[in-house]
Amino acid sequence: MQKQRLGPSLYDCPRDKSVLECVYLRRVLPMGRNTSIRETEWQRRILMNKVRLGIIGYGGMGTGYVKNIMNGMCPEIEIAAIADRKASRRAVCHEAYPDIPLFEEGSDLIASGLVDAVHIVVPHYQHHTLAIDAFRHGLHVLCEKPAGVYTLQVREMNEAAAASGKVFALMFNQRTNCIYRKMKEILVSGRLGEIKRVNWIITDWYRTQAYYDSGSWRATWDGEGGGVLLNQCPHQLDLLQWLCGIPVKVHAHLHYGKWHDIEVEDDVTAYMEFPNGATGVFVSTTGDYPGSNRLEITLEKGKFLCEHDQLFAWELEENERVWRKQSQDGFGHIPYHPMELDMDDKNPQHIGIFNNFASCILHGTPLVAEGQEGINSLMLSNAFHLSDWLGESVTIPFDEEKFLELLTEKRKLSAPKADSDRILDPSGTYGSVVRL
């Protein structure tokens, strides 16, 4: 007996309709609103096949992001709305993009119904509030680094993201660099054994006083929550924990306003110990010129050296720990050879994160940087601050309530700064060459 045909098949799809659109029109829509698949979500994802993105914050970074997207570098994203509290910036934005709706408050953009997702590009303390508000409105969230100022904030963000079921991503654009991706691949493979030591000197974040004077929130405890650790170094701290894991103990020495007229740290030296006994040193400042960006990771069977946007690797022919015990030569040198590193040479940076975010929403592509991972790098910077404030070593996990208590005290004493309408162009300051 021939089975009864339940309506038109996908092969009857008109030529002016996509197959996915037919799925919606003939399979989903007739199911009515009782289906678990929301009609509006299918309309947006299938009929439009683009993510309607709202940009919250039209400052130095925000203007660059909007320009790149409007120039077609993110084909699955359209700018649907922009928000900024400064009337002068909204005026500049309207002159450049007169058809894009503008809002004064990010919360109003979130509630507007005009967007499927938001990118949060505002001072650090606002990340937490805006992200949670967006999740509660059923929106996907891409957040600028750092995820927040203190770990207790970010735990609440992660809980809201999990409850919403929406995509939560972070702008950890350095993870797109083929150099760090190759290092991650080899480290995960175990080919070179366990890590013994990591040293990172990252002092090419040079900033002038004009940079710090460009915003009333910059380099203040109450506006930014920290200095080089919270603004520039989240990228390196994320890579550090992504590649090497989270230390179990740190001891940091920070200098506040050593090179600039600011109240937060602009010079950092930190010692780290990892669960397997490996040690590390992390050094950073915004006061050196010319600066360095040199990462060394020494392992049981080899070594990485990353500097000048190049990666070098060497592989020992014998595990050093074994050789050390068995060699009869007191000065015995272990044979080794340079490793051939097959890399794709791609380094799309921010554009890569945007495209990955959209692809995750539309196609389920795994994220480069899950939002929930943002707490890891923040845990490191919070631990460095806490160690310096207490003048002692700090174990991780640390007392997060104590950290917030001390930070709150500093915020109370934070000096107000004059505001500025100046928008700085940060292009070319990301520490590596963009290659799409």
Side-chain angles (χ1 to χ4, degrees), residues 203-225:
T203 59
D204 61 351
W205 288 123
Y206 184 71
R207 298 293 186 267
T208 66
Q209 188 64 41
Y211 167 84
Y212 289 111
D213 292 343
S214 67
S216 61
W217 63 280
R218 284 196 185 279
T220 64
W221 292 115
D222 195 42
E224 191 166 16

Side-chain angles (χ1 to χ4, degrees), residues 46-230:
I46 297 174
L47 302 185
M48 295 180 63
N49 205 31
K50 279 195 173 186
V51 175
R52 301 177 304 164
L53 184 66
I55 301 288
I56 304 178
Y58 194 69
M61 297 301 294
T63 54
Y65 293 151
V66 172
K67 180 179 179 180
N68 286 337
I69 295 171
M70 295 299 288
N71 285 343
M73 303 187 79
C74 303
E76 293 186 315
I77 296 177
E78 63 179 43
I79 301 295
I82 297 173
D84 198 287
R85 287 179 170 175
K86 291 188 175 181
S88 59
R89 291 182 179 177
R90 294 197 302 276
V92 171
C93 183
H94 179 70
E95 183 177 352
Y97 312 106
D99 296 329
I100 297 180
L102 297 176
F103 295 85
E104 180 175 356
E105 291 293 332
S107 57
D108 292 333
L109 182 153
I110 289 169
S112 68
L114 296 176
V115 302
D116 307 308
V118 294
H119 180 37
I120 300 171
V121 204
V122 295
H124 306 155
Y125 282 107
Q126 299 173 41
H127 292 184
H128 162 267
T129 302
L130 289 168
I132 291 177
D133 190 22
F135 287 131
R136 289 175 178 170
H137 279 81
L139 302 180
H140 307 285
V141 173
L142 172 59
C143 186
E144 199 65 26
K145 54 75 187 171
V149 178
Y150 51 93
T151 52
L152 290 175
Q153 258 188 342
V154 180
R155 293 191 189 281
E156 294 179 355
M157 291 170 65
N158 289 349
E159 290 172 2
S164 74
K166 297 300 178 180
V167 174
F168 181 25
L170 273 170
M171 187 56 81
F172 283 139
N173 45 283
Q174 292 297 340
R175 289 196 191 187
T176 69
N177 191 328
C178 60
I179 288 175
Y180 300 121
R181 286 188 282 114
K182 177 56 66 172
M183 294 175 72
K184 176 74 170 179
E185 176 189 321
I186 296 174
L187 288 168
V188 169
S189 75
R191 176 177 174 177
L192 298 182
E194 289 193 10
I195 294 174
K196 296 171 58 180
R197 186 184 314 279
V198 54
N199 296 311
W200 203 336
I201 176 169
I202 171 70
T203 59
D204 61 351
W205 288 123
Y206 184 71
R207 298 293 186 267
T208 66
Q209 188 64 41
Y211 167 84
Y212 289 111
D213 292 343
S214 67
S216 61
W217 63 280
R218 284 196 185 279
T220 64
W221 292 115
D222 195 42
E224 191 166 16
V228 65
L229 286 174
L230 262 289

Side-chain angles (χ1 to χ4, degrees), residues 305-375:
L305 169 60
C306 178
E307 189 172 27
H308 302 308
D309 213 23
Q310 297 182 75
L311 176 61
F312 304 93
W314 299 270
E315 184 173 20
L316 304 180
E317 295 181 14
E318 178 63 80
N319 188 307
E320 184 279 326
R321 297 182 191 235
V322 174
W323 180 275
R324 184 196 324 146
K325 294 178 180 180
Q326 296 182 351
S327 175
Q328 299 304 306
D329 183 350
F331 302 95
H333 293 176
I334 308 174
Y336 67 93
H337 59 270
M339 295 176 65
E340 293 186 9
L341 302 173
D342 182 20
M343 293 186 286
D344 60 23
D345 203 38
K346 292 181 180 179
N347 184 26
Q349 291 290 311
H350 303 87
I351 294 167
I353 294 293
F354 275 116
N355 287 329
N356 173 250
F357 178 58
S359 187
C360 180
I361 294 170
L362 297 172
H363 314 298
T365 304
L367 288 172
V368 170
E370 294 269 1
Q372 287 81 354
E373 297 178 28
I375 196 169

Side-chain angles (χ1 to χ4, degrees), residues 363-416:
H363 314 298
T365 304
L367 288 172
V368 170
E370 294 269 1
Q372 287 81 354
E373 297 178 28
I375 196 169
N376 296 335
S377 56
L378 189 62
M379 194 176 298
L380 275 175
S381 64
N382 282 182
F384 289 170
H385 273 124
L386 186 60
S387 172
D388 184 74
W389 295 345
L390 297 177
E392 61 188 35
S393 296
V394 167
T395 57
I396 299 176
F398 53 86
D399 186 341
E400 297 180 15
E401 295 285 354
K402 183 63 175 179
F403 175 85
L404 180 56
E405 175 189 333
L406 295 177
L407 176 62
T408 301
E409 291 178 4
K410 291 186 177 296
R411 292 185 70 181
K412 291 177 180 178
L413 300 174
S414 187

